[in-house]
Amino acid sequence: MPEHPGVLQGRGAHGTPYGDAALPDKRQVAASFSRAAASYDAVAELQRNVGMQLLARLPAALQAHRWLDLGCGTGYFTRALAERYVQGEGLAVDIAEGMLQHARPRAGAVHFIAGDAEFLPLQNASVDLLFSSLALQWCSDFPRVLNEASRVLRPGGVLAFSSLCVGTLQELRDSWLAVDGFVHVNRFRHFQDYQHMCTVSSLQVLALQREAQVLHFPDLRSLTTSLKDLGAHNLNPGRPGGLTGRSRIRALIEAYERFRQPDGLPATYQVVYGVLQKPLLVVRA
Ligand SMILES: C[S@@+](CC[C@H](N)C(=O)[O-])C[C@H]1O[C@@H](n2cnc3c(N)ncnc32)[C@H](O)[C@@H]1O
């Protein structure tokens, strides 16, 4: 890992205690996104819309001398942040080395670092803006993410994140449940849990909203292929493994067809947008 000012060495994606059977395996998350690096941009329409909406929610007056794109993926929003904060120094962190390799050549002077949102490889009070679009739903310990954000933000600094909550891919989840009683879809936190965890954190909540976005697909195969190309197919521990038999697939198609709308098969995403601020230091007289 190259040296960067304000960046701690020797922690991050490979220094963390992985392997807890109750949690999504981060090595698998990293491997899945690394494999998807080349196909991601072509299918990431929703991810681009969500990231643009998150950018639009950034406080206009924020001076980001140093900013971090956390879970930068292919670097689409790393480049957008570099354009927005031309004078600032940019950092981008991702747990997937394949994503970093893809993003690195495309984002100019930004420093790309392998790391984990729950164990940020950054020094205390070293960034003014922590931007994270659609990455934190992969972190099982969200309070830890908030603590890390609070630690690395300078007083007055802002955490802007988008994530996914319960209700996301509900149609696929319900269709699989009807077929075999198993949850074949990644698990998501409830919006109320996001509200609670943000409220009790040491950060001040400036805004926290949930908005539904619905994509439409011509058929089930296009939906499942796009999830795979995003690297976002089901990685839950305990997911049913093995080959998916033809009859089960037929049953799944039938179950999903019940949701069909004039525009095609819907896939709902429940998107959470949060903007939080680290309080300014209070100087007592
Ligand atoms: C859906 S992509 C979003 C990428 C980018 N932010 C965008 O909006 O296009 C999620 C990214 O989060 C990364 N990620 C997942 N878990 C992470 C973690 N614990 N720490 C850092 N990055 C993580 C993945 O490797 C992947 O690149």
Side-chain angles (χ1 to χ4, degrees):
M1 189 192 294
E3 294 275 338
H4 302 299
V7 175
L8 298 179
Q9 305 299 309
R11 295 174 72 194
H14 306 295
T16 51
Y18 296 142
D20 184 333
L23 310 176
D25 183 333
K26 289 185 182 179
R27 283 166 303 196
Q28 259 186 301
V29 172
S32 178
F33 278 109
S34 285
R35 275 195 301 275
S39 53
Y40 181 89
D41 282 335
V43 284
E45 181 197 342
L46 174 125
Q47 287 69 13
R48 279 193 293 277
N49 286 342
V50 168
M52 294 310 287
Q53 292 205 31
L54 185 60
L55 278 179
R57 285 168 157 84
L58 292 178
L62 178 70
Q63 304 271 328
H65 302 292
R66 202 145 187 267
W67 51 265
L68 168 65
D69 183 9
L70 177 57
C72 63
T74 56
Y76 187 88
F77 292 101
T78 315
R79 294 188 288 283
L81 289 165
E83 277 169 27
R84 182 173 174 134
Y85 300 108
V86 183
Q87 307 294 335
E89 186 194 9
L91 303 173
V93 164
D94 201 286
I95 204 167
E97 188 54 53
M99 283 293 194
L100 293 169
Q101 280 169 16
H102 192 85
R104 230 175 238 123
R106 294 171 174 78
V110 179
H111 302 300
F112 287 90
I113 307 152
D116 180 346
E118 293 176 26
F119 302 85
L120 282 177
L122 299 179
Q123 285 178 352
N124 296 351
S126 58
V127 296
D128 305 294
L129 168 65
L130 201 165
F131 178 97
S132 184
S133 194
L134 291 180
L136 302 182
Q137 67 275 11
W138 295 103
C139 295
S140 50
D141 192 347
F142 192 64
R144 185 174 178 110
V145 172
L146 293 174
N147 279 344
E148 280 294 84
S150 175
R151 181 181 68 75
V152 304
L153 282 172
R154 294 177 176 142
V158 166
L159 162 66
F161 75 91
S162 64
S163 190
L164 299 172
C165 65
V166 164
T168 297
L169 297 176
Q170 192 68 40
E171 302 87 351
L172 183 58
R173 181 194 152 94
D174 289 352
S175 301
W176 267 122
L177 273 174
V179 170
D180 65 6
F182 279 103
V183 176
H184 292 253
V185 173
N186 289 317
R187 293 188 188 105
F188 299 99
R189 276 179 284 269
H190 289 274
F191 178 63
Q192 291 75 8
D193 292 336
Y194 278 103
Q195 281 178 313
H196 175 72
M197 289 184 281
C198 289
T199 307
V200 301
S201 78
S202 57
L203 299 168
Q204 188 193 345
V205 180
L206 302 183
L208 191 63
Q209 290 133 347
R210 169 180 46 179
E211 280 178 22
Q213 285 210 25
V214 183
L215 295 181
H216 287 93
F217 294 87
D219 50 38
L220 184 65
R221 180 175 284 271
S222 350
L223 164 62
T224 54
T225 306
S226 107
L227 290 176
K228 191 155 185 270
D229 288 352
L230 287 167
H233 49 295
N234 180 28
L235 297 172
N236 276 334
R239 65 194 183 282
L243 291 176
T244 311
R246 274 191 190 178
S247 56
R248 289 175 69 222
I249 291 291
R250 264 201 306 275
L252 181 66
I253 291 172
E254 236 169 70
Y256 210 128
E257 281 296 329
R258 286 183 287 126
F259 293 101
R260 187 174 280 282
Q261 296 172 350
D263 289 340
L265 292 181
T268 301
Y269 285 79
Q270 292 289 347
V271 185
V272 180
Y273 294 96
V275 181
L276 288 76
Q277 186 167 37
K278 179 164 174 173
L280 286 166
L281 292 177
V282 179
V283 182
R284 290 205 175 81

